[in-house]
């Protein structure tokens, strides 16, 4: 068995057929698809059962609702493929994905492979999301580490190939105590153990973009709590590499995370609420550490430099006005 695809499912009756149709369309016996029903209360399990009856490569596993990380971990316990790929139930494979996957899997030299994707909007429009490589692909490990540790390019676990033997050997799993960033921890921990990785600008997944923002589901304190855990883990990984440039880029990346979060809340919070939120955020020790460690000469733009200075000086009134104005233009 060459490939195990693991799909966690929770109340996905609206999208799961399109997802599974895009998988069973390929005539390839060296692939299995493990679908973990995470306590769905809709017709997801019934729909999947019909696919299981007509295609022996489909396997349905059910558990009580325990969250996406637990579902992926359960899927891993059933996997038999040399490579593992994760896919979300509302996403689906591209028309040329199987040609791409079979080509690279037959190559057999890479321990990790990450592919580009299309963002698929509810309007039917798509946007190609490519790695800024300047080429079709790269196996430069410094570039791979840059994208996982100092950007959000590899944060998601889906659309990537992992060696199952490595997952078992290093006892890797998805942390069940995180609601945000759990897949980043898995991907990052995996990359710590490899020497040969590939980034390819061949798109294999249609990633469905929903309008519901995580910012509306979690308050800023909760988001900051998750961000702190991810930052501390990421910093440990980067320090381990002893790469000063990577460390500098990591701090810039977390500055972007802070400013992006500030902008997103400005889209639906009132000015007074924003000031209180920004004030609390800037009192966080890890936020102060990020702002202190940043090399100002490495700012990616004048706008980011301006945002940095407002944050560093804790000008919460100015910050709230600035991000509220910016949010209006961002809509």
């Amino acid at each position: 068995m060459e490939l195990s695809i693991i799909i966690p499912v929770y109340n996905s009756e609206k999208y799961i057929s399109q997802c599974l149709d895009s998988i069973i369309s390929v005539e390839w016996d060296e692939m299995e698809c493990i679908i973990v029903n995470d306590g769905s209360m809709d017709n997801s399990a019934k729909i999947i059962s019909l696919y299981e009856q007509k295609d022996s490569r489909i396997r349905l596993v059910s558990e009580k609702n325990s969250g996406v990380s637990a579902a992926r971990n359960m899927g891993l316990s059933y996997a038999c493929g040399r490579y593992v790929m994760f896919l979300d139930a509302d996403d689906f494979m591209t028309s040329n994905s199987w040609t791409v996957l079979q080509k690279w899997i037959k190559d057999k030299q890479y321990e990790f492979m990450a592919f580009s994707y299309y963002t698929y909007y509810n309007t039917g429009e798509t946007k190609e999301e490519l790695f800024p490589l300047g080429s079709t692909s790269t196996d430069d490990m410094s570039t791979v580490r840059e994208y996982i540790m100092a950007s959000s390019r590899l944060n998601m676990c889906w659309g990537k190939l992992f060696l199952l033997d490595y997952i078992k050997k290093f006892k890797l799993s998805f942390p069940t105590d995180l609601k945000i960033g759990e897949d980043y921890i898995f991907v990052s921990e995996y990359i710590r153990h490899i020497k040969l990785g590939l980034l390819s600008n061949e798109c294999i997944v249609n990633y469905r973009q929903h309008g519901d923002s995580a910012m509306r589901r979690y308050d800023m304190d909760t988001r900051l709590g998750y961000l702190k855990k991810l930052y501390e883990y990421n910093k440990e990984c980067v320090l381990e590499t002893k790469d000063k440039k990577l460390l500098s880029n990591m701090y810039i990346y977390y500055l972007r995370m802070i400013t992006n979060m500030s902008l997103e809340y400005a889209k639906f919070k009132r000015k007074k609420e924003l000031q209180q939120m920004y004030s609390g955020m800037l009192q966080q020790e890890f936020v102060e550490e990020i702002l202190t460690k940043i090399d100002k000469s490495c700012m990616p733009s004048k706008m980011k430099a301006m945002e940095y200075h407002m944050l560093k000086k804790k000008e919460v009134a100015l910050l709230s006005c600035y991000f509220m104005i910016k949010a209006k233009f961002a809509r």
Side-chain angles (χ1 to χ4, degrees):
M1 185 69 66
E2 291 288 353
L3 179 65
S4 295
I5 300 174
I6 296 172
I7 306 174
V9 172
Y10 179 71
N11 291 348
S12 302
E13 63 179 7
K14 186 176 179 181
Y15 305 112
I16 191 61
S17 290
Q18 186 177 25
C19 177
L20 294 180
D21 284 340
S22 73
I23 292 172
I24 65 173
S25 64
V26 63
E27 295 182 5
W28 190 31
D29 292 334
E30 291 299 314
M31 178 270 290
E32 65 174 357
C33 181
I34 301 164
I35 303 133
V36 182
N37 175 35
D38 186 33
S40 295
M41 295 180 287
D42 62 0
N43 290 316
S44 295
K46 291 181 181 179
I47 295 170
I48 298 164
S49 291
L50 294 175
Y51 280 87
E52 187 178 31
Q53 291 169 23
K54 67 180 180 180
D55 195 315
S56 61
R57 297 172 299 175
I58 301 291
R59 182 174 186 180
L60 173 62
V61 179
S62 294
E63 66 168 3
K64 65 178 182 180
N65 181 240
S66 303
V68 66
S69 289
R72 287 174 179 148
N73 290 336
M74 177 170 281
L76 284 171
S77 71
Y78 284 91
C80 297
R82 187 162 62 91
Y83 284 103
V84 170
M85 187 181 85
F86 298 97
L87 189 66
D88 287 348
D90 53 350
D91 299 337
F92 56 101
M93 306 296 287
T94 62
S95 58
N96 71 323
S97 59
W98 297 109
T99 301
V100 173
L101 287 171
Q102 289 178 31
K103 175 186 70 174
W104 288 113
I105 286 174
K106 286 178 182 177
D107 189 87
K108 294 188 177 180
Q109 67 170 307
Y110 293 109
E111 302 160 311
F112 169 78
M113 291 177 258
F115 300 90
S116 295
Y117 61 94
Y118 292 105
T119 296
Y120 183 89
Y121 297 95
N122 289 332
T123 59
E125 297 178 8
T126 59
K127 179 185 176 184
E128 197 174 39
E129 308 285 0
L130 302 177
F131 298 111
L133 301 176
S135 61
T136 304
S137 63
T138 183
D139 57 8
D140 176 54
M141 280 305 296
S142 64
T143 303
V144 174
R145 292 191 184 94
E146 174 81 19
Y147 284 142
I148 185 61
M149 297 178 185
S151 82
S152 58
R153 289 278 177 172
L154 296 179
N155 280 10
M156 305 82 67
C157 66
W158 48 261
K160 300 168 179 64
L161 297 186
F162 307 87
L163 285 172
L164 181 59
D165 283 350
Y166 278 35
I167 293 172
K168 292 179 177 178
K169 178 181 178 181
F170 299 110
K171 299 179 181 179
L172 304 180
S173 62
F174 290 86
T176 56
D177 60 335
L178 280 178
K179 300 295 184 184
I180 301 171
E182 73 289 337
D183 43 356
Y184 160 76
I185 296 290
F186 179 88
V187 178
S188 182
E189 188 64 24
Y190 182 90
I191 287 177
R192 291 174 82 171
H193 299 290
I194 69 166
K195 294 180 180 178
L196 291 171
L198 174 80
L199 301 180
S200 171
N201 270 331
E202 296 164 293
C203 297
I204 67 166
V205 171
N206 288 295
Y207 161 66
R208 196 181 299 273
Q209 178 67 269
H210 298 285
D212 186 23
S213 168
M215 304 299 170
R216 295 180 184 268
R217 297 197 300 271
Y218 301 103
D219 59 36
M220 183 173 269
D221 286 343
T222 302
R223 290 280 301 178
L224 286 169
Y226 290 134
L227 186 62
K228 179 183 178 182
K229 288 183 179 180
L230 296 176
Y231 166 71
E232 290 174 346
Y233 173 81
N234 200 10
K235 183 175 68 170
E236 178 186 337
C237 294
V238 174
L239 289 173
E240 192 177 85
T241 69
K242 298 180 181 179
D243 186 331
K244 292 182 180 179
K245 181 182 177 183
L246 182 59
L247 184 63
S248 177
N249 289 341
M250 184 204 73
Y251 288 124
I252 294 293
Y253 166 63
Y254 278 95
L255 171 64
R256 285 197 182 100
M257 295 285 283
I258 291 167
T259 56
N260 288 347
M261 189 186 303
S262 300
L263 174 62
E264 286 300 315
Y265 281 109
K267 292 178 181 179
F268 61 93
K269 293 291 185 180
R270 295 181 181 275
K271 187 176 180 180
K272 188 174 181 180
E273 287 181 286
L274 280 179
Q275 289 181 8
Q276 292 174 343
M277 292 167 69
Y278 294 163
S279 178
M281 176 182 71
L282 292 170
Q283 290 176 27
Q284 294 272 344
E285 288 185 12
F286 85 98
V287 173
E288 290 182 348
E289 179 178 295
I290 292 166
L291 296 175
T292 301
K293 296 284 187 178
I294 282 175
D295 182 350
K296 290 177 281 187
S297 67
C298 295
M299 286 293 168
S301 66
K302 290 182 179 179
M303 179 174 288
K304 196 58 63 180
M306 180 180 69
E307 292 170 355
Y308 163 75
H309 285 296
M310 285 190 287
L311 288 165
K312 190 78 168 62
K313 294 179 180 179
K314 299 183 178 181
E315 295 177 344
V316 292
L318 188 57
L319 281 165
S320 60
C321 291
Y322 167 80
F323 281 115
M324 288 182 78
I325 292 170
K326 191 174 181 180
K328 287 183 180 179
F329 287 99
R331 290 190 179 114

